[in-house]
Amino acid sequence: MHWTDKLHAILMGVSDLTNRIDIDARLLAASNVKLDRALLPLLSRLALHEQMSTVELANLVGRDHSTVSRQLAKLEDLALIERVPSSGDRRVRMICPSAKGKALLGAVAKVRRQWIEAHFRDWPREDIDQLISLTGKMMEGLDEVSLGGIEMIETRSA
Amino acid sequence: MHWTDKLHAILMGVSDLTNRIDIDARLLAASNVKLDRALLPLLSRLALHEQMSTVELANLVGRDHSTVSRQLAKLEDLALIERVPSSGDRRVRMICPSAKGKALLGAVAKVRRQWIEAHFRDWPREDIDQLISLTGKMMEGLDEVSLGGIEMIETRSA
DNA sequence: GGTATATATGTGCATAATGCACGGATATGA
DNA sequence: TCATATCCGTGCATTATGCACATATATACC
């Protein structure tokens, strides 16, 4: 098995794991938080970026902006996010978690931290550091809106 | 930022990346393959497991078995999978990619290999090995059907 | 300035995806 | 044998999603 295939298999596993709705469900339950399962991933991403526009977030999660727009409306109804007019561009309303949203995320993060720590209990500290360092390096430039380097192969023909 | 939060952020990034439908779309286009975008992830997972039952696959991808059942029906119509009666249990039909399905996956894998190799072009070989080793270790026991170790915190209360 | 084009956002609408409930078949255990 | 559990597929209602469109604003070009 080629190393790229091995890596891809692992990444798929990671993806499946973080997408398992039952995990989010358990996380929310354990945090005593009630929230539509589709909204937590969105809120979690927002927390990592300080401020984002609707389109940026849509690109990040790979869905149509209209879909994200509707989900954001729900989050706003729940007062979990705030929308700030962008200083430079009056078309965009930047989005960020509200105090309430941050509190919710904090409660969830607390439980998740326990889970992750339990999972890595037997790991040497340097392995954990290496893991974070290398995966972080791998994601550099890829977690942004565009796909960067991957564009080097032309696929527009289709 | 706590290391667990950092790790979680990275994993979310990985998840987003592997879930970006545009990536699958580009992959299929660059491979000259035409396939419903929902079906490639399923087929890819099947390829990693030799044989799986419908329910197992459903658990793996975190969706209802009925949903997966319908998607598998599509894959079968396209002759991309085969169903073999399980020797031990006559209720289950084990699923695996057909020759045609494997050929398709092979074409896709070839392009993906190029992409991944390009992305890691500047990496020292030992870093790549370390990355695969550590992420593989991280996923041990988690890529299976049940969640294993994560269960250690009781969440059934909800 | 004025005009054409591009981008950000939200909404209507049709379609696709999803989960739940159910039924039939088989397996497991009392 | 009987009761219970599991595997699978289908009917059905609900939800999610994308596309097309409209509006407001920005950017580029003349």
Side-chain angles (χ1 to χ4, degrees):
Chain A
M1 195 181 191
H2 197 272
W3 68 268
T4 58
D5 297 331
K6 210 180 293 181
L7 182 59
H8 176 243
I10 293 170
L11 297 186
M12 275 200 297
V14 170
S15 173
D16 286 343
L17 192 63
T18 61
N19 276 310
R20 296 272 292 270
I21 49 173
D22 54 320
I23 294 188
D24 277 357
R26 288 185 207 184
L27 206 46
L28 289 169
S31 315
N32 284 315
V33 166
K34 215 169 182 59
L35 182 65
D36 184 357
R37 65 197 158 90
L39 301 182
L40 181 60
L42 229 47
L43 199 57
S44 301
R45 266 104 186 139
L46 282 174
L48 293 179
H49 289 264
E50 298 295 323
Q51 279 197 334
M52 295 187 83
S53 72
T54 303
V55 169
E56 283 171 342
L57 183 56
N59 286 340
L60 186 65
V61 300
R63 298 189 194 274
D64 195 82
H65 71 94
S66 63
T67 299
V68 174
S69 173
R70 277 182 282 256
Q71 291 171 332
L72 287 175
K74 288 185 195 172
L75 281 174
E76 196 175 17
D77 283 344
L78 295 167
L80 294 172
I81 61 169
E82 282 168 4
R83 313 180 97 140
V84 207
S86 166
S87 51
D89 190 330
R90 275 188 303 176
R91 290 171 303 178
V92 321
R93 294 193 292 161
M94 299 306 271
I95 304 149
C96 55
S98 66
K100 187 178 169 190
K102 285 178 186 164
L104 188 156
L105 286 171
V108 169
K110 191 176 165 191
V111 174
R112 182 168 43 225
R113 206 169 310 181
Q114 292 176 352
W115 287 8
I116 295 180
E117 278 176 348
H119 180 69
F120 287 94
R121 181 162 294 147
D122 298 331
W123 281 50
R125 180 67 211 201
E126 63 263 28
D127 280 5
I128 294 179
D129 291 340
Q130 269 277 300
L131 172 69
I132 292 177
S133 164
L134 289 172
T135 50
K137 185 177 163 195
M138 171 178 68
M139 293 304 294
E140 265 171 30
L142 288 177
D143 60 336
E144 287 308 316
V145 169
S146 84
L147 246 57
I150 282 184
E151 282 284 344
M152 57 185 61
I153 292 179
E154 188 54 66
T155 60
R156 288 291 173 196
S157 55
Chain B
M1 195 181 191
H2 197 272
W3 68 267
T4 59
D5 297 331
K6 211 180 296 183
L7 183 59
H8 176 244
I10 293 170
L11 298 186
M12 275 200 297
V14 170
S15 174
D16 286 343
L17 193 63
T18 61
N19 276 309
R20 297 271 293 271
I21 49 172
D22 54 321
I23 295 188
D24 276 357
R26 288 185 208 184
L27 207 45
L28 289 168
S31 316
N32 284 315
V33 167
K34 215 169 180 62
L35 183 65
D36 184 359
R37 64 196 160 87
L39 300 183
L40 181 61
L42 229 47
L43 199 58
S44 302
R45 266 104 185 140
L46 281 173
L48 293 179
H49 288 264
E50 298 294 323
Q51 280 197 333
M52 295 188 83
S53 71
T54 303
V55 169
E56 283 172 342
L57 182 57
N59 285 339
L60 185 64
V61 299
R63 297 189 194 280
D64 194 82
H65 72 95
S66 63
T67 299
V68 174
S69 173
R70 278 182 282 256
Q71 292 171 330
L72 287 176
K74 289 184 194 173
L75 282 173
E76 195 176 18
D77 284 344
L78 296 168
L80 294 172
I81 61 169
E82 280 168 6
R83 313 180 97 138
V84 206
S86 166
S87 51
D89 190 330
R90 276 187 303 177
R91 290 171 303 178
V92 322
R93 293 192 293 161
M94 298 306 271
I95 305 150
C96 56
S98 66
K100 187 179 168 188
K102 284 176 186 165
L104 187 156
L105 286 171
V108 169
K110 191 176 164 193
V111 175
R112 181 167 45 225
R113 208 169 313 184
Q114 292 176 353
W115 287 7
I116 296 181
E117 278 176 347
H119 180 68
F120 287 94
R121 180 161 296 148
D122 298 331
W123 281 50
R125 180 69 212 200
E126 63 263 27
D127 280 4
I128 295 178
D129 291 341
Q130 269 277 301
L131 172 68
I132 293 178
S133 164
L134 289 172
T135 49
K137 186 177 163 195
M138 172 178 67
M139 294 304 295
E140 263 172 31
L142 289 178
D143 59 337
E144 287 309 316
V145 170
S146 84
L147 246 57
I150 283 183
E151 281 286 342
M152 57 185 61
I153 292 179
E154 189 55 66
T155 60
R156 289 289 174 196
S157 57

CSV table of all heavy atoms in Angstrom, one decimal, chain B residues 54-55 65-66 69-70 83 91-93, chain D residues 5-12 17-18:
chain,number,residue,atom,x,y,z
B,54,THR,N,-24.2,-3.9,5.4
B,54,THR,CA,-24.8,-2.6,5.3
B,54,THR,C,-24.8,-1.9,6.6
B,54,THR,O,-24.5,-0.7,6.7
B,54,THR,CB,-26.3,-2.8,4.8
B,54,THR,OG1,-26.3,-3.5,3.5
B,54,THR,CG2,-26.9,-1.4,4.6
B,55,VAL,N,-25.2,-2.6,7.6
B,55,VAL,CA,-25.3,-2.0,8.9
B,55,VAL,C,-23.9,-1.5,9.4
B,55,VAL,O,-23.8,-0.4,9.9
B,55,VAL,CB,-25.9,-3.0,9.9
B,55,VAL,CG1,-25.7,-2.4,11.4
B,55,VAL,CG2,-27.4,-3.2,9.6
B,65,HIS,N,-29.1,3.1,8.6
B,65,HIS,CA,-28.9,2.0,7.6
B,65,HIS,C,-29.8,2.1,6.4
B,65,HIS,O,-29.4,1.7,5.3
B,65,HIS,CB,-29.1,0.7,8.3
B,65,HIS,CG,-30.5,0.4,8.6
B,65,HIS,ND1,-31.3,-0.3,7.8
B,65,HIS,CD2,-31.4,0.8,9.6
B,65,HIS,CE1,-32.5,-0.4,8.2
B,65,HIS,NE2,-32.6,0.3,9.4
B,66,SER,N,-30.9,2.8,6.5
B,66,SER,CA,-31.8,2.9,5.4
B,66,SER,C,-31.2,3.8,4.3
B,66,SER,O,-31.3,3.5,3.1
B,66,SER,CB,-33.2,3.4,5.8
B,66,SER,OG,-33.1,4.7,6.3
B,69,SER,N,-28.5,1.9,2.7
B,69,SER,CA,-29.1,0.9,1.9
B,69,SER,C,-29.4,1.4,0.5
B,69,SER,O,-29.2,0.8,-0.5
B,69,SER,CB,-30.3,0.3,2.6
B,69,SER,OG,-31.0,-0.6,1.7
B,70,ARG,N,-30.0,2.6,0.5
B,70,ARG,CA,-30.4,3.2,-0.8
B,70,ARG,C,-29.2,3.5,-1.6
B,70,ARG,O,-29.1,3.4,-2.8
B,70,ARG,CB,-31.3,4.4,-0.5
B,70,ARG,CG,-32.7,4.0,-0.3
B,70,ARG,CD,-33.6,5.3,-0.1
B,70,ARG,NE,-33.4,5.8,1.2
B,70,ARG,CZ,-34.3,5.7,2.2
B,70,ARG,NH1,-35.4,5.1,1.9
B,70,ARG,NH2,-34.1,6.2,3.4
B,83,ARG,N,-22.4,-8.0,-4.0
B,83,ARG,CA,-23.0,-8.5,-2.7
B,83,ARG,C,-22.8,-10.0,-2.7
B,83,ARG,O,-23.3,-10.7,-3.5
B,83,ARG,CB,-24.4,-8.0,-2.6
B,83,ARG,CG,-24.6,-6.6,-3.0
B,83,ARG,CD,-26.0,-6.1,-2.9
B,83,ARG,NE,-26.2,-5.4,-1.6
B,83,ARG,CZ,-26.9,-4.3,-1.5
B,83,ARG,NH1,-27.5,-3.8,-2.6
B,83,ARG,NH2,-27.1,-3.7,-0.4
B,91,ARG,N,-28.9,-13.6,6.8
B,91,ARG,CA,-29.5,-12.3,6.7
B,91,ARG,C,-28.7,-11.3,6.0
B,91,ARG,O,-29.2,-10.4,5.3
B,91,ARG,CB,-29.8,-11.7,8.1
B,91,ARG,CG,-30.9,-12.5,8.9
B,91,ARG,CD,-30.9,-12.0,10.3
B,91,ARG,NE,-29.6,-12.1,10.9
B,91,ARG,CZ,-29.3,-11.7,12.2
B,91,ARG,NH1,-30.2,-11.1,12.9
B,91,ARG,NH2,-28.1,-11.9,12.7
B,92,VAL,N,-27.4,-11.4,6.1
B,92,VAL,CA,-26.6,-10.3,5.6
B,92,VAL,C,-26.0,-10.6,4.3
B,92,VAL,O,-25.7,-11.8,4.0
B,92,VAL,CB,-25.4,-10.0,6.6
B,92,VAL,CG1,-25.9,-10.1,8.0
B,92,VAL,CG2,-24.2,-10.9,6.4
B,93,ARG,N,-25.9,-9.6,3.5
B,93,ARG,CA,-25.1,-9.7,2.2
B,93,ARG,C,-23.9,-8.8,2.3
B,93,ARG,O,-24.0,-7.6,2.4
B,93,ARG,CB,-26.0,-9.2,1.1
B,93,ARG,CG,-27.2,-10.1,0.8
B,93,ARG,CD,-27.9,-9.8,-0.5
B,93,ARG,NE,-28.5,-8.5,-0.5
B,93,ARG,CZ,-28.9,-7.8,-1.6
B,93,ARG,NH1,-28.6,-8.3,-2.8
B,93,ARG,NH2,-29.5,-6.7,-1.5
D,5,DA,P,-35.0,-7.9,23.1
D,5,DA,OP1,-34.3,-7.2,24.2
D,5,DA,OP2,-36.2,-7.2,22.5
D,5,DA,O5',-34.0,-8.1,21.9
D,5,DA,C5',-32.9,-9.0,22.2
D,5,DA,C4',-32.1,-9.2,20.9
D,5,DA,O4',-32.8,-10.0,20.0
D,5,DA,C3',-31.8,-7.9,20.2
D,5,DA,O3',-30.4,-7.8,19.9
D,5,DA,C2',-32.7,-7.9,19.0
D,5,DA,C1',-32.8,-9.4,18.7
D,5,DA,N9,-34.0,-9.8,18.1
D,5,DA,C8,-35.3,-9.6,18.4
D,5,DA,N7,-36.2,-10.1,17.6
D,5,DA,C5,-35.4,-10.7,16.6
D,5,DA,C6,-35.8,-11.5,15.5
D,5,DA,N6,-37.0,-11.7,15.1
D,5,DA,N1,-34.7,-12.0,14.8
D,5,DA,C2,-33.5,-11.8,15.2
D,5,DA,N3,-33.0,-11.1,16.2
D,5,DA,C4,-34.1,-10.6,16.9
D,6,DT,P,-29.8,-6.5,19.3
D,6,DT,OP1,-28.5,-6.3,19.9
D,6,DT,OP2,-30.8,-5.4,19.2
D,6,DT,O5',-29.5,-6.9,17.7
D,6,DT,C5',-28.8,-8.1,17.5
D,6,DT,C4',-28.9,-8.4,16.0
D,6,DT,O4',-30.2,-8.8,15.7
D,6,DT,C3',-28.6,-7.2,15.1
D,6,DT,O3',-27.5,-7.6,14.2
D,6,DT,C2',-29.9,-7.0,14.3
D,6,DT,C1',-30.5,-8.3,14.4
D,6,DT,N1,-32.0,-8.4,14.3
D,6,DT,C2,-32.6,-9.1,13.3
D,6,DT,O2,-31.9,-9.7,12.5
D,6,DT,N3,-34.0,-9.0,13.3
D,6,DT,C4,-34.8,-8.4,14.1
D,6,DT,O4,-36.0,-8.4,14.0
D,6,DT,C5,-34.1,-7.6,15.1
D,6,DT,C7,-34.9,-6.8,16.1
D,6,DT,C6,-32.8,-7.6,15.2
D,7,DC,P,-26.9,-6.5,13.2
D,7,DC,OP1,-25.5,-6.8,13.0
D,7,DC,OP2,-27.4,-5.2,13.5
D,7,DC,O5',-27.7,-7.0,11.8
D,7,DC,C5',-27.4,-8.2,11.2
D,7,DC,C4',-28.0,-8.3,9.9
D,7,DC,O4',-29.5,-8.4,10.1
D,7,DC,C3',-27.8,-7.0,9.0
D,7,DC,O3',-27.4,-7.4,7.7
D,7,DC,C2',-29.2,-6.4,9.0
D,7,DC,C1',-30.1,-7.5,9.2
D,7,DC,N1,-31.4,-7.1,9.9
D,7,DC,C2,-32.6,-7.5,9.4
D,7,DC,O2,-32.6,-8.2,8.4
D,7,DC,N3,-33.8,-7.2,10.1
D,7,DC,C4,-33.7,-6.4,11.2
D,7,DC,N4,-34.8,-6.1,11.7
D,7,DC,C5,-32.4,-6.0,11.7
D,7,DC,C6,-31.3,-6.3,11.0
D,8,DC,P,-26.9,-6.3,6.7
D,8,DC,OP1,-26.0,-7.0,5.8
D,8,DC,OP2,-26.5,-5.1,7.4
D,8,DC,O5',-28.2,-6.0,5.9
D,8,DC,C5',-28.9,-7.0,5.2
D,8,DC,C4',-30.2,-6.6,4.8
D,8,DC,O4',-31.0,-6.3,5.9
D,8,DC,C3',-30.3,-5.3,4.0
D,8,DC,O3',-30.3,-5.6,2.6
D,8,DC,C2',-31.5,-4.6,4.5
D,8,DC,C1',-32.1,-5.6,5.5
D,8,DC,N1,-32.7,-4.9,6.7
D,8,DC,C2,-34.1,-5.0,6.9
D,8,DC,O2,-34.8,-5.5,6.0
D,8,DC,N3,-34.6,-4.4,8.0
D,8,DC,C4,-33.8,-3.8,8.9
D,8,DC,N4,-34.4,-3.3,10.0
D,8,DC,C5,-32.4,-3.8,8.7
D,8,DC,C6,-31.9,-4.3,7.6
D,9,DG,P,-30.2,-4.4,1.5
D,9,DG,OP1,-29.7,-5.0,0.3
D,9,DG,OP2,-29.5,-3.3,2.2
D,9,DG,O5',-31.7,-4.0,1.3
D,9,DG,C5',-32.7,-5.0,0.8
D,9,DG,C4',-34.1,-4.5,1.0
D,9,DG,O4',-34.4,-4.2,2.4
D,9,DG,C3',-34.4,-3.2,0.2
D,9,DG,O3',-35.5,-3.3,-0.6
D,9,DG,C2',-34.6,-2.1,1.3
D,9,DG,C1',-35.1,-3.0,2.5
D,9,DG,N9,-34.9,-2.5,3.8
D,9,DG,C8,-33.7,-2.1,4.4
D,9,DG,N7,-33.8,-1.6,5.6
D,9,DG,C5,-35.1,-1.7,5.8
D,9,DG,C6,-35.9,-1.4,7.0
D,9,DG,O6,-35.4,-0.9,8.1
D,9,DG,N1,-37.2,-1.6,6.8
D,9,DG,C2,-37.8,-2.1,5.7
D,9,DG,N2,-39.1,-2.2,5.7
D,9,DG,N3,-37.1,-2.4,4.6
D,9,DG,C4,-35.8,-2.2,4.8
D,10,DT,P,-35.9,-2.2,-1.6
D,10,DT,OP1,-36.3,-2.9,-2.8
D,10,DT,OP2,-34.9,-1.2,-1.7
D,10,DT,O5',-37.2,-1.6,-1.0
D,10,DT,C5',-38.3,-2.4,-0.6
D,10,DT,C4',-39.4,-1.6,0.0
D,10,DT,O4',-39.1,-1.2,1.4
D,10,DT,C3',-39.7,-0.2,-0.7
D,10,DT,O3',-41.1,-0.1,-0.7
D,10,DT,C2',-39.1,0.8,0.2
D,10,DT,C1',-39.2,0.2,1.6
D,10,DT,N1,-38.3,0.6,2.6
D,10,DT,C2,-38.7,0.9,3.9
D,10,DT,O2,-39.9,0.9,4.2
D,10,DT,N3,-37.7,1.3,4.8
D,10,DT,C4,-36.4,1.3,4.5
D,10,DT,O4,-35.6,1.7,5.4
D,10,DT,C5,-36.0,1.0,3.2
D,10,DT,C7,-34.5,1.0,2.8
D,10,DT,C6,-36.9,0.6,2.3
D,11,DG,P,-41.7,1.1,-1.6
D,11,DG,OP1,-42.6,0.5,-2.6
D,11,DG,OP2,-40.7,2.0,-2.0
D,11,DG,O5',-42.7,1.9,-0.5
D,11,DG,C5',-43.5,1.1,0.3
D,11,DG,C4',-44.2,2.0,1.3
D,11,DG,O4',-43.3,2.3,2.4
D,11,DG,C3',-44.6,3.3,0.8
D,11,DG,O3',-45.9,3.7,1.4
D,11,DG,C2',-43.5,4.3,1.2
D,11,DG,C1',-43.0,3.7,2.5
D,11,DG,N9,-41.6,3.9,2.7
D,11,DG,C8,-40.6,3.6,1.8
D,11,DG,N7,-39.4,3.8,2.3
D,11,DG,C5,-39.6,4.2,3.6
D,11,DG,C6,-38.7,4.6,4.6
D,11,DG,O6,-37.5,4.6,4.6
D,11,DG,N1,-39.4,4.9,5.8
D,11,DG,C2,-40.7,4.9,6.0
D,11,DG,N2,-41.2,5.3,7.2
D,11,DG,N3,-41.6,4.6,5.0
D,11,DG,C4,-41.0,4.2,3.9
D,12,DC,P,-46.6,5.1,0.9
D,12,DC,OP1,-48.0,4.9,1.1
D,12,DC,OP2,-46.1,5.5,-0.4
D,12,DC,O5',-46.1,6.1,2.0
D,12,DC,C5',-46.1,5.8,3.4
D,12,DC,C4',-45.5,7.0,4.2
D,12,DC,O4',-44.1,6.8,4.3
D,12,DC,C3',-45.8,8.3,3.6
D,12,DC,O3',-46.3,9.2,4.6
D,12,DC,C2',-44.4,8.8,3.1
D,12,DC,C1',-43.5,8.1,4.1
D,12,DC,N1,-42.1,7.9,3.6
D,12,DC,C2,-41.0,8.1,4.4
D,12,DC,O2,-41.2,8.4,5.6
D,12,DC,N3,-39.8,7.9,3.9
D,12,DC,C4,-39.6,7.4,2.7
D,12,DC,N4,-38.4,7.2,2.2
D,12,DC,C5,-40.7,7.2,1.8
D,12,DC,C6,-41.9,7.4,2.3
D,17,DT,P,-27.4,20.5,4.9
D,17,DT,OP1,-26.1,19.7,5.0
D,17,DT,OP2,-27.6,21.7,5.6
D,17,DT,O5',-27.6,20.7,3.3
D,17,DT,C5',-27.6,19.6,2.4
D,17,DT,C4',-27.9,20.1,1.0
D,17,DT,O4',-29.3,20.4,0.9
D,17,DT,C3',-27.2,21.3,0.6
D,17,DT,O3',-26.1,21.0,-0.2
D,17,DT,C2',-28.2,22.2,0.0
D,17,DT,C1',-29.4,21.3,-0.1
D,17,DT,N1,-30.7,22.0,0.1
D,17,DT,C2,-31.7,22.0,-0.8
D,17,DT,O2,-31.6,21.4,-1.9
D,17,DT,N3,-32.9,22.6,-0.5
D,17,DT,C4,-33.2,23.3,0.7
D,17,DT,O4,-34.2,23.9,0.8
D,17,DT,C5,-32.1,23.3,1.6
D,17,DT,C7,-32.3,24.0,2.9
D,17,DT,C6,-31.0,22.7,1.3
D,18,DG,P,-25.2,22.1,-0.8
D,18,DG,OP1,-23.9,21.5,-1.1
D,18,DG,OP2,-25.2,23.3,0.0
D,18,DG,O5',-25.9,22.5,-2.2
D,18,DG,C5',-26.3,21.4,-3.1
D,18,DG,C4',-27.0,21.9,-4.3
D,18,DG,O4',-28.3,22.4,-3.9
D,18,DG,C3',-26.3,23.1,-5.0
D,18,DG,O3',-26.4,22.9,-6.4
D,18,DG,C2',-27.1,24.3,-4.5
D,18,DG,C1',-28.5,23.7,-4.4
D,18,DG,N9,-29.4,24.4,-3.4
D,18,DG,C8,-29.0,24.7,-2.1
D,18,DG,N7,-30.0,25.3,-1.4
D,18,DG,C5,-31.1,25.2,-2.3
D,18,DG,C6,-32.4,25.7,-2.1
D,18,DG,O6,-32.9,26.2,-1.1
D,18,DG,N1,-33.2,25.4,-3.2
D,18,DG,C2,-32.7,24.9,-4.4
D,18,DG,N2,-33.6,24.7,-5.4
D,18,DG,N3,-31.5,24.4,-4.6
D,18,DG,C4,-30.7,24.7,-3.5
